[in-house]
Amino acid sequence: MAQVPVSKIELYAAIRRDAKVEGLSSRALSAKYGVGRRTVATALESVFPATRKELPARASRLDPFKVIIDQILREDLDAPRKQRHTVKRVFDRLIDEHQALGVSYAMVRAYIAVRGPEIRVEEGRGPPQAFIPQTHRPGDEAEVDFGDVWIQLNGVSTKVFLFSLRLSFSGKAAHKIFASCGQEAFLEGHVHALQVLGGVPRSKIRYDNLRAAVSQVLGRTRGRVESERWTAFRSHFSIESFYCNPGIEGAHEKGGVEGQIGWFRRNHLVPVPKVESLAELNVMVEQWDRDDDARRILQRAMTVGEMFAIERPLLIPLPEEDFETGLVSSLRVNRYGQVSVRTNHYSVPVRLIGRMVRVVLHASELVVYENHKEVARHERLIAKGGSRLELDHYLEALLRKPGALPGATALDQARSAGKFTPVHDAWWQAACKAHGDAAGTRALIAVLLLHRHMPHEHVVAGIATALRAGAMTADAVALEARKWGESDQGAEPLSDQDARRLRMDAGATVTSLTERRLAALPPDPRPVPSVAAYDQLLRLRRRPADGPA
């Protein structure tokens, strides 16, 4: 007996070939391939095997109750959205009201999953959800959205937000990561993206109903009440906004950027990045955006970069004037030398206590101005209820209250940031031992004031040199810091290891400040003063002891 072909179509082809070429009879073909004569006859009649007949559906214990379920689903079409039947409620009603004891929850759930959409169509409530392919003209449209991502920031797992603006034609996207998704980040993200793209889409940009842009959604229409700052920003950059329907129903209206954020997160943020700051991470993000120009989206013939080269000349040019994206507010400095912004506290110089200052809150930093002069700049806090204090802002007050320095929060933060080094601590202890706690602390504060005019590494080197020589005065530290500045031009910043080496080196000396000043003076040609005249007076003063004058 010949080997039976693997598939039924191959079997039919072999039977038809042997019948036509070899002239075999039905009996011979049946014997050769081990099949019945009915199969041979069917193969000779048709190239394709007949489809198998579907068996009639088996009876189910749910059949008597399907009419009841259909009626419930039809009534739900007109019921309030939050008061419609769940599968659990339908099942409970069948048990309680209709004694459907043989029916299981799984039966009811499977039936409603299939029958529910069918009833909506039968009642004229709309066809099944369908998606219509779209064609975008170059330079016309873009989409914007935020996506949350997790990073390791200074060793702490932190939730941050990825801003994305994506051109619909080319798929070119610009990204930036912020600590929040507030209005400041929303506007700064636009400025960064539009500068990267080199222009603004001519037709519209699609948005969710973000609170940074939309103050109120007007019913089920496309009408929106926009925030004033967003309206001014749109006007400045000539942006035409288009707002999607609220909720999941409108997500597909900007599906390009939704998918782009997911793709970017999976391809560039896995594994979780470990960085020291958001600025470091955003440098990496900008490089990833440049690298993505070489990729192809789905089956497109050209890369993202090649399509963007076609689109870029068609964008609206950017305005020449800048737009202030930060939130500007006037605040009063409290008695702790701080301003309160969004539940967080930031320090300013203590001389401003009780006065009004202008605060500009950006997405990543906060800047404080007195009139038009910048007096403080802080990295913005991510968590709520925190404080960011600069030790330098409190030095004038600490001169009057030196006992407050050891427990000062600003000192603790300066230690954590590496600005107050172990070299500072060692010199402080030595100064307190030499002059007493109050005088030694005041000497340390005078040394800290040097940081306002000298590089940090030079002051630390000066402290280490003075410590080796046992010079516990601010003048000695200032002199040695200047010497380091003069002899170390263009050198690398002093590391902690170098600072420790300087402390342990016993061969250093400290030059007297008076000697240094005298050495810089021109030579004095005048004769050395004589005291001979005073000696004469002393002799005259002693003469009355020998007799009358």
Side-chain angles (χ1 to χ4, degrees):
M1 183 176 65
Q3 184 178 0
V4 178
V6 177
S7 67
K8 206 166 187 179
I9 291 183
E10 292 178 351
L11 174 63
Y12 278 30
I15 292 173
R16 292 171 65 87
R17 181 183 62 251
D18 288 349
K20 185 176 182 179
V21 176
E22 302 293 337
L24 298 180
S25 64
S26 297
R27 183 188 297 274
L29 292 171
S30 177
K32 180 177 180 179
Y33 292 103
V35 296
R37 295 204 184 173
R38 186 185 296 275
T39 302
V40 173
T42 305
L44 296 175
E45 291 176 0
S46 174
V47 175
F48 297 99
T51 58
R52 177 172 293 183
K53 294 181 180 180
E54 293 185 4
L55 296 176
R58 292 186 301 174
S60 169
R61 293 190 296 271
L62 186 64
D63 289 345
F65 308 100
K66 289 182 178 179
V67 176
I68 299 172
I69 297 175
D70 290 354
Q71 182 62 29
I72 292 175
L73 295 178
R74 286 189 171 88
E75 291 174 355
D76 273 355
L77 295 177
D78 297 319
R81 185 175 61 86
K82 295 185 178 181
Q83 291 177 252
R84 296 174 183 171
H85 286 76
T86 61
V87 176
K88 178 67 166 54
R89 181 56 182 152
V90 173
F91 176 71
D92 290 342
R93 286 190 62 185
L94 291 178
I95 299 298
D96 298 338
E97 301 176 12
H98 303 281
Q99 292 75 44
L101 300 180
V103 174
S104 67
Y105 175 81
M107 293 179 183
V108 177
R109 180 180 59 189
Y111 180 75
I112 292 178
V114 175
R115 188 61 179 145
E118 294 177 351
I119 288 179
R120 290 189 61 86
V121 175
E122 292 173 2
E123 297 296 323
R125 300 301 177 94
Q129 189 176 17
F131 296 93
I132 309 302
Q134 300 288 304
T135 299
H136 303 283
R137 293 179 295 180
D140 265 13
E141 297 184 16
E143 301 169 1
V144 167
D145 201 6
F146 273 106
D148 57 280
V149 297
W150 288 88
I151 63 171
Q152 287 287 332
L153 184 61
N154 288 321
V156 179
S157 182
T158 306
K159 181 180 179 180
V160 292
F161 299 89
L162 174 67
F163 174 90
S164 178
L165 189 151
R166 179 184 184 273
L167 293 175
S168 300
F169 171 75
S170 62
K172 171 68 175 177
H175 304 85
K176 192 167 185 179
I177 291 179
F178 296 99
S180 73
C181 56
Q183 191 175 61
E184 300 81 30
F186 184 64
L187 300 183
E188 287 185 28
H190 275 81
V191 172
H192 167 74
L194 296 178
Q195 289 176 348
V196 170
L197 301 177
V200 182
R202 293 183 174 276
S203 178
K204 58 191 173 186
I205 301 181
R206 298 174 182 267
Y207 298 94
D208 274 338
N209 299 279
L210 301 168
R211 293 183 63 86
V214 177
S215 300
Q216 182 181 359
V217 178
L218 301 179
R220 295 183 175 274
T221 67
R222 295 285 184 180
R224 303 291 187 271
V225 178
E226 297 181 333
S227 65
E228 293 183 356
R229 292 189 68 215
W230 169 237
T231 301
F233 184 89
R234 288 200 307 103
S235 175
H236 180 80
F237 284 97
S238 303
I239 294 175
E240 292 295 330
S241 58
F242 176 88
Y243 298 103
C244 302
N245 288 324
I248 299 178
E249 295 179 358
H252 68 275
E253 295 183 349
K254 57 178 186 58
V257 73
E258 298 272 359
Q260 171 66 30
I261 289 177
W263 184 92
F264 191 91
R265 186 191 290 120
R266 292 188 299 271
N267 286 270
H268 296 307
L269 298 173
V270 176
V272 175
K274 299 178 181 179
V275 293
E276 299 297 325
S277 66
L278 291 183
E280 175 188 348
L281 180 58
N282 279 316
V283 172
M284 299 163 61
V285 169
E286 291 177 12
Q287 182 59 47
W288 292 334
D289 282 346
R290 290 190 288 268
D291 295 341
D292 288 345
D293 286 348
R295 75 183 182 98
R296 282 182 170 83
I297 298 176
L298 300 178
Q299 305 299 321
R300 292 183 179 181
M302 292 187 291
T303 64
V304 170
E306 292 169 345
M307 297 187 69
F308 178 61
I310 300 172
E311 189 169 27
R312 184 167 187 170
L314 303 176
L315 300 174
I316 300 175
L318 297 176
E320 297 181 359
E321 302 82 8
D322 293 332
F323 186 91
E324 178 55 70
T325 58
L327 178 63
V328 182
S329 57
S330 294
L331 302 174
R332 189 176 300 277
V333 182
N334 64 19
R335 60 180 179 174
Y336 297 101
Q338 302 170 9
V339 291
S340 179
V341 182
R342 300 277 179 89
T343 74
N344 291 320
H345 295 83
Y346 302 87
S347 67
V348 299
V350 291
R351 62 182 175 80
L352 298 174
I353 290 177
R355 299 176 59 179
M356 298 295 294
V357 294
R358 185 165 58 94
V359 179
V360 182
L361 180 65
H362 296 281
S364 302
E365 64 179 3
L366 174 140
V367 188
V368 183
Y369 294 92
E370 179 193 12
N371 296 328
H372 298 288
K373 180 181 178 182
E374 180 182 323
V375 294
R377 182 182 291 266
H378 296 278
E379 183 181 353
R380 182 171 175 175
L381 290 166
I382 297 178
K384 293 184 178 181
S387 63
R388 183 87 69 186
L389 308 181
E390 189 73 33
L391 180 59
D392 181 74
H393 294 160
Y394 294 93
L395 295 181
E396 286 81 1
L398 290 170
L399 282 172
R400 300 193 304 273
K401 298 180 178 181
L405 179 60
T409 304
L411 176 61
D412 185 61
Q413 293 189 9
R415 282 196 178 103
S416 300
K419 297 180 180 179
F420 194 89
T421 65
V423 178
H424 287 85
D425 266 320
W427 193 92
W428 185 14
Q429 294 174 7
C432 290
K433 185 176 181 180
H435 307 300
D437 290 344
T441 301
R442 287 192 176 96
L444 172 69
I445 295 170
V447 170
L448 294 177
L449 288 168
L450 297 175
H451 287 285
R452 296 182 178 179
H453 314 290
M454 297 181 180
H456 174 80
E457 53 271 15
H458 291 169
V459 176
V460 174
I463 295 173
T465 307
L467 181 63
R468 293 195 307 271
M472 299 297 108
T473 64
D475 283 347
V477 174
L479 176 59
E480 292 303 318
R482 292 192 187 97
K483 290 170 64 178
W484 271 92
E486 292 172 0
S487 62
D488 199 29
Q489 293 294 329
E492 294 293 328
L494 191 69
S495 64
D496 291 341
Q497 183 178 0
D498 293 335
R500 287 193 295 270
R501 178 179 56 78
L502 289 172
R503 286 182 56 193
M504 301 304 296
D505 187 2
T509 59
V510 176
T511 304
S512 168
L513 185 60
T514 303
E515 292 178 4
R516 181 179 175 86
R517 288 172 178 168
L518 292 176
L521 294 175
D524 189 358
R526 296 177 297 179
V528 178
S530 174
V531 294
Y534 294 97
D535 292 340
Q536 250 182 350
L537 292 174
L538 291 174
R539 285 194 296 272
L540 292 175
R541 179 68 177 169
R542 288 193 293 269
R543 189 174 297 174
D546 302 331

